[in-house]
Amino acid sequence: MKFVDRPTKRKIHDNPIPLMGGIAIYIGYMITLLLMRGFDALSLSITIGGTLLVIIGLVDDGFKAHGREFPVWPRLIVYLLTATIPLWFHIQITGIRDFQEGMWMFPSWFVYISTVLWVFSMTNMMNFIDGVDGLAAGVASISSLTLCVVALIKGDAETAIATIALCGVCLGFLIYNFYPAKIFMGDAGATFLGYTLAVIAVNGSFKSTAFVTILIPMLALGFPILDTIIVFSRRLKEGKGLHRADKLHTHHALMRWGLTQPQVVSFIYLVTVLFGLLSIVVMLSMP
């Protein structure tokens, strides 16, 4: 049986689509990252965590190819385990500076919880928005480019390298994933992108940051965050499980309003760009 995403009531495509795009994203990015950065803390964190996510994602995608649903608990356990990996390499949200340039160091328990929550949330959020041709890859490319610009403004060349490489991989994949998509990234690709963006944000913008600039990574990744808040609010209102897949996402709502897939994706790209520009404005406004 072919490794494809088969149409269901929840899906919007009518024909089976190959699901191995996540492997291409993973291999392309990891080769580039390791060649450019070597085996440092950031690349090791992404390598170990990303590999685990790709493996569990491929298992999930394999179930989809056979018309079955993979149980949620094994995925959640792997996602939580993966979210702790940056802590192994001391990539964590350690504290914030106040306006007098004094440091407020977080207690250890808050460092661990906030870092794990951020990484776990972004891993899932990017997966949540992967429901329309070209959406997740496009949003990830815009978000990574935004983080790259922020890193360059801060003089953080190492983070800039990691982000521009991710942007390049996403744009390369987008050629084949934009409507009408020839291939999907699947859960393997979407969770890998979410995890990688989250870890890079912690290593760069979030790490011992000023109070106001803590908004920067949140704005750069603003659309996935906003979409998840909206969807979870609707699910709670309707008494549905938070992990249950449905058609309550922003892209589903826009399509119900009559927009085509390219129009939906273009609109969300614009929103993501605006979030990105706002994050850069916040960065530039800092003394």
Side-chain angles (χ1 to χ4, degrees), residues 254-272:
L254 292 173
M255 293 186 69
R256 284 196 296 272
W257 293 350
L259 273 65
T260 63
Q261 285 199 54
Q263 290 171 337
V264 168
V265 171
S266 298
F267 175 78
I268 295 176
Y269 285 175
L270 177 60
V271 173
T272 306

Side-chain angles (χ1 to χ4, degrees), residues 69-265:
E69 285 294 327
F70 187 58
V72 66
W73 289 110
R75 283 181 288 159
L76 288 178
I77 291 171
V78 173
Y79 294 168
L80 281 171
L81 173 63
T82 304
T84 68
I85 291 174
L87 297 172
W88 305 357
F89 300 97
H90 305 288
I91 298 176
Q92 54 198 19
I93 304 171
T94 54
I96 57 176
R97 291 193 301 272
D98 60 27
F99 292 104
Q100 284 75 42
E101 294 300 313
M103 278 298 300
W104 294 355
M105 301 304 297
F106 297 142
S108 296
W109 64 268
F110 188 82
V111 169
Y112 300 151
I113 291 176
S114 59
T115 303
V116 169
L117 182 62
W118 167 256
V119 176
F120 176 83
S121 298
M122 282 310 308
T123 299
N124 284 278
M125 287 176 185
M126 190 60 66
N127 195 24
F128 290 160
I129 68 169
D130 185 29
V132 181
D133 294 357
L135 182 55
V139 169
S141 64
I142 296 169
S143 298
S144 56
L145 182 60
T146 300
L147 291 175
C148 179
V149 173
V150 169
L152 291 173
I153 293 173
K154 294 174 63 179
D156 185 356
E158 292 186 350
T159 299
I161 289 172
T163 50
I164 198 64
L166 188 64
C167 179
V169 170
C170 290
L171 290 176
F173 178 72
L174 194 58
I175 296 173
Y176 304 96
N177 185 237
F178 198 80
Y179 182 84
K182 299 178 180 66
I183 190 170
F184 289 162
M185 68 175 67
D187 281 19
T191 55
F192 175 75
L193 288 180
Y195 172 79
T196 302
L197 283 167
V199 175
I200 292 174
V202 173
N203 188 68
S205 299
F206 257 156
K207 196 173 184 179
S208 299
T209 186
F211 180 74
V212 175
T213 54
I214 202 169
L215 295 173
I216 291 172
M218 292 184 176
L219 290 170
L221 299 164
F223 176 75
I225 295 173
L226 179 63
D227 180 70
T228 301
I229 292 172
I230 293 173
V231 170
F232 277 16
S233 298
R234 289 174 176 171
R235 289 177 183 174
L236 286 172
K237 183 179 179 181
E238 297 182 10
K240 296 181 178 179
L242 296 181
H243 66 283
R244 296 293 182 185
D246 51 36
K247 286 191 173 184
L248 297 177
H249 290 277
T250 304
H251 51 269
H252 291 132
L254 292 173
M255 293 186 69
R256 284 196 296 272
W257 293 350
L259 273 65
T260 63
Q261 285 199 54
Q263 290 171 337
V264 168
V265 171

Side-chain angles (χ1 to χ4, degrees), residues 38-58:
F39 291 94
D40 60 3
L42 179 62
S43 60
L44 283 172
S45 179
I46 294 174
T47 299
I48 297 172
T51 301
L52 287 174
L53 289 171
V54 168
I55 291 172
I56 194 69
L58 287 175

